[in-house]
Amino acid sequence: MATVAIPPSSARKDTILSRRYIEGQIAEGKHVIIFDGRVLKVDAWINFHPGGDKSIKHMVGRDATDEINALHSKEARQRMLSYQVGRIQGPWLNFLPPIHGGKFRPYTEEPCLTDEESSGLETSAPPSPIFDAVDGKTGACRRKTSAATDTSVSTPVNEKAESKPFFLDARTQEEIDFDTAKYPSLDMKNQEFIKRKYRELDQKIRAEGLYQCNYFSYFVECCRYALFVTLSYILLQWGWYASSAFFLGCFWHQLVFTAHDAGHMGITHNFHVDSVIGMVIADYLGGLSLGWWKRSHNVHHIVTNEPEHDPDIEHMPFFAVSHRFFNSLRSTYYDRVMKFDAASRVLLRYQNYLYYPILMLARFNLYRLSWEYLLLGQAPKKGPAWWHRWFEFAGQVFFWYWFGYGVLYCTIPDWSSRFTFIMVSHIVTSPLHLQITLSHFAMSTADMGVRESFPQKMLRTTMDVDCPTWLDFVHGGLQFQAIHHLYPRLPRHNLRRAQKLVLEFCKDTGIPYAIFTFYDGNKEVLGKLGDVAKQLRLLEECRKSCAEQGVLLDQH
């Protein structure tokens, strides 16, 4: 009997895997991603990932090199190599991940195309109800080629697309055409050039020592925190409840910036140390879950401004930053349909007027999301973050003891004063929510396909806010969101210094760098919300007219 030599583990890891084989692995439900020319199968790790499983699922079938480098430490990247199962040759053409609706052929199935033909495919993608013509005989879609999408796969239609007025389809195409003209071409050569320049930029930032945390800046921050909390305590004892609440709100507002840094491992760069710092600040002092924020925020950094996937722009029925929300999209993050219901039809018509009032109450929604995360068991149960949930539970009990019982119940004598204290302290934190939405709400939500590089996508969907240096403490570094999205682990006190290098990168690559003053940025956001509200009013008028004339809406 002939014996079969089994190559050693190291040799198997260096085996060149074909695109067709990798597609077959994904078709079997495997979580396969590409990192620095290596093929990683991370099924054994996904339940241990401290950032949750969603961020990994969005990278399946894609070259995640830049996303992984941006969001993970050198030690974490080194540990990932233990999941290597092979290598690829040459640039990788991304698949559309299954969580996005990508369809994959089993490796054992007789392929419709030869391996040579399939190697040129961009993605295994579901049909688009907007841009794909349906063949009435075969039930297959013939996808049109554009700058954003390019594939010749025929995919069966599994579900009937929800019908909608033709002008919404035209609006979607208009947004894609606008971004196609404004931003660099999505051809592989150009995007590979952008990736190379982006990695060179990272080396320049490291050479200038910008990844080194400025701890003196945190000393100054701690002095500011101590001032606010001391003033709040003294005024509380004097019975000046509204004034005390104001400074407590300032304390919470400032603390969030440091919790944000800790969540990105931007303080000590040690996972456990920064996690404890972040949880003490967020849970014990602020009543918010750092774990919930990290789970949500990691996804936001990968699928920025994608209506179906980015939780940071999914605020139905209060806000819609795109007309695509009118189609009752299914959120892959919340795993539910964001219904375009009667409440949405009323609130979204006036969303540009309700923008500031709703943001004033946003902190109350964060309490809800935090408890939902902890009570529903969304926190990691295995891996290095298994204990975080219990540490956060203790933090929540501690917070509501000192704030709810110690301050509100024991110190403030009557319910009217308690209500005033709660509202003032929470409304004072609203500039934080304004800052977060300001950098994204006005930016593109167009789907440019899987060919777009990570740095181009971040700069296309994020804008910076220009302000004088002396106001940096008010914005907390969040005014440099575009730079932060390019390099999330860059300490925020160094973001202003990194801006010059990013501007040079944008000039070299031809990617527009969006930056507005605080005033103009607010105008952009209100204009975007007003434009979507106008589209909704037009949609309602169209439906009303069709109903009166007895015409079905989907009959174009």
Side-chain angles (χ1 to χ4, degrees):
M1 179 181 295
T3 60
V4 178
I6 300 176
S9 177
S10 59
R12 289 200 300 270
K13 289 186 175 183
D14 289 328
T15 302
I16 302 299
L17 301 179
S18 71
R19 176 182 177 82
R20 185 69 185 86
Y21 175 80
I22 294 172
E23 180 184 3
Q25 289 290 294
I26 299 173
E28 294 177 7
K30 303 294 193 301
H31 295 86
V32 180
I33 61 177
I34 310 300
F35 171 55
D36 196 22
R38 298 175 172 88
V39 181
L40 308 183
K41 186 165 66 174
V42 295
D43 298 83
W45 170 246
I46 194 167
N47 291 328
F48 295 83
H49 187 227
D53 63 337
K54 299 290 187 182
S55 54
I56 293 179
K57 289 178 180 292
H58 286 295
M59 288 290 99
V60 170
R62 303 188 60 165
D63 184 346
T65 302
D66 290 326
E67 288 87 343
I68 289 174
N69 285 335
L71 292 164
H72 295 81
S73 67
K74 181 179 179 180
E75 293 74 20
R77 296 196 301 269
Q78 191 64 36
R79 286 196 295 271
M80 291 180 191
L81 301 185
S82 61
Y83 299 96
Q84 182 178 341
V85 294
R87 287 183 176 272
I88 62 168
Q89 282 184 330
W92 177 257
L93 297 171
N94 289 331
F95 285 113
L96 187 71
I99 195 173
H100 290 215
K103 306 298 180 183
F104 296 83
R105 299 165 297 167
Y107 187 62
T108 55
E109 181 181 290
E110 185 69 23
C112 299
L113 304 173
T114 66
D115 285 345
E116 180 180 354
E117 289 173 320
S118 68
S119 66
L121 296 180
E122 174 186 305
T123 175
S124 292
S128 166
I130 298 175
F131 305 116
D132 297 348
V134 178
D135 189 317
K137 295 180 179 180
T138 63
C141 287
R142 303 186 302 275
R143 178 172 291 252
K144 298 179 182 178
T145 302
S146 71
T149 58
D150 180 18
T151 177
S152 57
V153 172
S154 294
T155 309
V157 178
N158 296 321
E159 297 179 4
K160 183 180 180 180
E162 181 175 340
S163 300
K164 52 190 175 297
F166 67 92
F167 69 82
L168 294 183
D169 294 352
R171 180 62 177 171
T172 299
Q173 183 63 64
E174 181 181 309
E175 291 178 355
I176 293 174
D177 291 342
F178 178 81
D179 282 0
T180 300
K182 183 178 180 181
Y183 289 87
S185 168
L186 296 178
D187 67 84
M188 177 170 288
K189 181 180 179 181
N190 203 44
Q191 292 301 308
E192 287 298 319
F193 170 75
I194 292 173
K195 291 178 185 178
R196 178 169 59 82
K197 299 297 290 185
Y198 171 68
R199 294 165 192 176
E200 290 176 1
L201 174 59
D202 180 63
Q203 294 304 315
K204 291 179 182 178
I205 290 174
R206 292 183 185 277
E208 294 203 12
L210 298 185
Y211 276 102
Q212 298 174 11
C213 187
N214 184 350
Y215 291 111
F216 179 75
S217 297
Y218 280 109
F219 171 74
V220 175
E221 301 250 351
C222 289
C223 292
R224 190 182 301 121
Y225 302 156
L227 173 64
F228 287 146
V229 76
T230 301
L231 287 173
S232 178
Y233 178 77
I234 291 173
L235 293 169
L236 182 65
Q237 297 305 311
W238 289 355
W240 296 10
Y241 301 124
S243 299
S244 172
F246 173 82
F247 285 107
L248 178 60
C250 291
F251 175 65
W252 283 339
H253 174 260
Q254 291 290 304
L255 277 179
V256 168
F257 301 139
T258 302
H260 178 266
D261 298 344
H264 280 293
M265 308 296 118
I267 301 178
T268 69
H269 306 302
N270 179 282
F271 174 76
H272 291 293
V273 174
D274 279 0
S275 293
V276 170
I277 292 173
M279 286 186 287
V280 167
I281 292 173
D283 292 88
Y284 288 75
L285 301 180
L288 306 177
S289 167
L290 184 78
W292 157 77
W293 174 84
K294 289 181 67 173
R295 182 176 187 262
S296 168
H297 200 65
N298 287 340
V299 173
H300 163 68
H301 269 271
I302 292 173
V303 289
T304 310
N305 265 27
E306 296 187 24
E308 299 89 348
H309 312 298
D310 182 2
D312 276 20
I313 63 168
E314 296 177 346
H315 302 297
M316 295 289 281
F318 302 104
F319 298 126
V321 296
S322 170
H323 62 275
R324 288 156 63 188
F325 284 100
F326 301 164
N327 297 328
S328 294
L329 298 181
R330 182 172 188 83
S331 167
T332 58
Y333 179 82
Y334 293 109
D335 195 24
R336 61 176 173 80
V337 174
M338 297 174 289
K339 294 182 178 180
F340 181 60
D341 52 16
S344 302
R345 288 184 171 87
V346 173
L347 293 172
L348 296 184
R349 290 167 63 94
Y350 309 101
Q351 61 176 348
N352 48 322
Y353 302 105
L354 296 173
Y355 178 59
Y356 296 116
I358 289 175
L359 290 186
M360 290 181 182
L361 306 176
R363 191 176 183 90
F364 295 104
N365 186 51
L366 301 188
Y367 291 139
R368 179 188 68 83
L369 292 170
S370 296
W371 278 103
E372 183 180 272
Y373 169 81
L374 294 171
L375 293 175
L376 297 183
Q378 297 173 354
K381 300 178 179 62
K382 303 176 181 178
W386 69 268
W387 54 276
H388 288 187
R389 182 189 184 195
W390 309 110
F391 190 71
E392 290 199 277
F393 264 128
Q396 292 293 319
V397 172
F398 179 83
F399 171 80
W400 289 107
Y401 176 79
W402 76 259
F403 176 68
Y405 178 74
V407 175
L408 293 178
Y409 183 76
C410 294
T411 308
I412 302 177
D414 56 83
W415 283 106
S416 62
S417 297
R418 290 167 185 159
F419 178 78
T420 299
F421 191 91
I422 291 173
M423 297 306 295
V424 171
S425 62
H426 285 62
I427 289 174
V428 168
T429 67
S430 59
L432 168 68
H433 310 293
L434 173 62
Q435 186 72 62
I436 294 172
T437 59
L438 192 62
S439 294
H440 297 293
F441 271 22
M443 298 302 288
S444 173
T445 59
D447 181 5
M448 299 301 291
V450 294
R451 288 190 175 187
E452 187 175 34
S453 62
F454 172 72
Q456 179 166 318
K457 180 178 179 63
M458 295 302 103
L459 290 168
R460 182 174 60 84
T461 57
T462 312
M463 80 174 183
D464 279 353
V465 176
D466 191 23
C467 74
T469 305
W470 64 271
L471 268 179
D472 282 355
F473 82 96
V474 175
H475 296 278
L478 298 181
Q479 76 272 32
F480 298 115
Q481 275 289 292
I483 303 171
H484 169 66
H485 267 255
L486 290 174
Y487 301 103
R489 302 182 71 252
L490 194 65
R492 67 179 161 98
H493 298 106
N494 296 334
L495 291 173
R496 184 175 285 277
R497 291 172 58 192
Q499 187 179 42
K500 180 180 178 181
L501 297 175
V502 172
L503 285 170
E504 292 175 358
F505 164 77
C506 290
K507 182 179 180 180
D508 290 341
T509 59
I511 302 176
Y513 174 54
I515 182 167
F516 295 88
T517 64
F518 184 76
Y519 174 76
D520 287 336
N522 276 267
K523 286 178 61 178
E524 290 290 319
V525 170
L526 292 175
K528 178 69 169 289
L529 294 175
D531 183 52
V532 175
K534 183 178 180 180
Q535 293 172 42
L536 174 58
R537 290 193 291 271
L538 180 61
L539 172 64
E540 293 301 313
E541 290 175 6
C542 179
R543 283 178 169 160
K544 182 179 179 180
S545 176
C546 290
E548 291 175 351
Q549 299 176 25
V551 179
L552 292 178
L553 190 61
D554 59 340
Q555 291 180 345
H556 300 170

